[in-house]
Amino acid sequence: MTERWAVAAADGGGDGALLVPLAADGTPAGPVLAEPDLVASVRSRPGVGRWVWRSTEGIYPRLLAAGVRVERCYDIESAELLLLGHAGRLGEPRSAAAALARLENAPVPPD
């Protein structure tokens, strides 16, 4: 179980998902896959060692409701919140877009 995949719920509030395998450095290691069912997408990849998603709150309740559990995940917003708190900057935007903007020294968008 060494594979890492990024997953996001598809836009529009439906059941779909966008997924992409990740290389060791976190960059995409293949094309983005649009799949019709988030739960089925995760369930069909039992060998994934770590899922990467924007927010556990936005993904995991749907998986749990369907009886799907993941062993390991990386929640970008939670990690950013911890890093901001450690830096004494609690309360600043913690979205993935905000984290990227800080990395690129660009204006940080609100959450």
Side-chain angles (χ1 to χ4, degrees):
M1 287 202 335
T2 59
E3 279 190 81
R4 290 185 304 157
W5 281 71
V7 61
D11 289 336
D15 293 332
L18 300 172
L19 300 100
V20 65
L22 300 174
D25 66 357
T27 59
V32 174
L33 307 172
E35 298 194 358
D37 187 325
L38 168 71
V39 172
S41 297
V42 172
R43 184 178 278 141
S44 71
R45 292 171 173 84
V48 172
R50 183 180 307 266
W51 288 97
V52 178
W53 49 55
R54 182 186 60 111
S55 169
T56 297
E57 179 182 357
I59 298 283
Y60 208 47
R62 288 170 54 186
L63 298 175
L64 286 177
V68 177
R69 291 179 148 315
V70 298
E71 287 189 35
R72 298 175 76 190
C73 73
Y74 184 88
D75 179 315
I76 294 169
E77 288 185 359
S78 291
E80 187 67 6
L81 179 64
L82 289 170
L83 293 169
L84 287 168
H86 179 73
R89 298 166 56 187
L90 198 58
E92 291 187 23
R94 63 188 176 109
S95 68
L100 180 61
R102 277 190 279 277
L103 284 174
E104 297 178 342
N105 293 317
V108 176
D111 280 342

